[in-house]
Amino acid sequence: MIVQGDVFFTRAKKLPEGVKPVGKRARGYVIAEGEATGHAHVIQDDIELYEKDGILFVKTSKDVSVHHEEHLPVTLGAGIWKVGIVREFDPFLQEYRKVTD
C-alpha cells in the first residue's frame, strides 16, 4: 500500500469488468480533489485511468509520480493500482465518512 495524505493505492491483479476510461484534465489525471482547498492528487505522466462504481484504477507501464500541493510526491510502480480514500469513524453518529482534504 502507498499512502499520500487521504488517498491510498493498493495493487490490483487486473482491471474489473466494465471499467470506463477517465480523461486527462488540464493539470493532469486527477486522482482525488480536496473538498476544502481545491488541491488535488494528480498524475501528470501518461497513464490509463479508469473508473467503476466510483472507484478509480490507475494502469501504468512505467513508474509514475503522484503530486499534491501539501504532500511529498509518491511513486507508483508499473502495474494496476486501485485508488482508495481514507475513512474515519464517528462514534457519536456511528458512521464512517471519507476524510476531507
Side-chain angles (χ1 to χ4, degrees), residues 4 27 30-34 37-42 67-69 101:
Q4 185 186 55
R27 59 182 168 177
V30 177
I31 305 303
E33 290 189 275
T37 64
H39 295 166
H41 301 266
V42 176
H67 297 275
H68 187 278
E69 293 87 340
D101 191 11

Side-chain angles (χ1 to χ4, degrees), residues 34-55:
E35 294 83 3
T37 64
H39 295 166
H41 301 266
V42 176
I43 299 174
Q44 296 169 336
D45 301 302
D46 287 327
I47 62 164
E48 295 174 43
L49 184 61
Y50 299 96
E51 181 270 333
K52 181 174 183 186
D53 299 328
I55 298 172

Side-chain angles (χ1 to χ4, degrees), residues 1-99:
M1 180 185 309
I2 296 174
V3 178
Q4 185 186 55
D6 60 337
V7 174
F8 63 93
F9 302 87
T10 54
R11 288 235 184 232
K13 292 183 181 181
K14 63 180 186 172
L15 290 170
E17 294 290 326
V19 293
K20 296 181 182 176
V22 176
K24 188 175 188 178
R25 297 188 193 175
R27 59 182 168 177
Y29 291 96
V30 177
I31 305 303
E33 290 189 275
E35 294 83 3
T37 64
H39 295 166
H41 301 266
V42 176
I43 299 174
Q44 296 169 336
D45 301 302
D46 287 327
I47 62 164
E48 295 174 43
L49 184 61
Y50 299 96
E51 181 270 333
K52 181 174 183 186
D53 299 328
I55 298 172
L56 291 176
F57 294 87
V58 175
K59 183 177 180 184
T60 177
S61 59
K62 62 180 181 177
D63 290 358
V64 296
S65 295
V66 183
H67 297 275
H68 187 278
E69 293 87 340
E70 297 172 347
H71 307 293
L72 293 174
V74 296
T75 301
L76 302 180
I80 300 171
W81 295 87
K82 180 179 178 181
V83 180
I85 305 295
V86 175
R87 297 183 179 273
E88 62 187 3
F89 182 72
D90 184 325
F92 300 106
L93 297 176
Q94 292 291 303
E95 66 183 20
Y96 286 94
R97 62 178 171 237
K98 289 182 179 179
V99 173

